[in-house]
Amino acid sequence: MTRVLAILQAEPERLWRSREIAELLGDVTLVATYRQLARWTEKGMIKRVRTGRYAAITQETALAGCVQ
């Protein structure tokens, strides 16, 4: 699933849908994609912007989280 991180980081400003990510991967089910995205969100590796929309954590996002 490191391909997912590469997809998200390729366009960090884009809000990706789970379905789009699964379609780009081609060999991964939508359910497996949902599960992995949820795990990575919990670990802080990516961010869930809203239901079903994900984005890469950029350096700006990480710094903003530390400044609170």
Side-chain angles (χ1 to χ4, degrees):
M1 288 297 245
T2 57
R3 294 181 293 165
V4 173
L5 294 176
I7 290 169
L8 294 175
Q9 291 169 349
E11 295 181 62
E13 70 287 342
R14 181 175 173 178
L15 304 181
W16 290 88
R17 291 183 175 171
S18 307
R19 183 174 303 280
E20 292 174 311
I21 295 168
E23 288 173 0
L24 283 172
L25 296 173
D27 60 343
V28 179
T29 66
L30 184 56
V31 173
T33 303
Y34 285 140
R35 287 182 184 147
Q36 191 62 50
L37 291 171
R39 285 186 203 115
W40 285 346
T41 299
E42 289 173 9
K43 291 181 179 184
M45 296 171 66
I46 62 173
K47 63 182 175 179
R48 190 178 99 189
V49 181
R50 60 179 182 251
T51 303
R53 297 288 181 116
Y54 297 87
I57 291 184
T58 62
Q59 189 173 22
E60 292 172 359
T61 306
L63 291 175
C66 293
V67 176
Q68 295 177 4

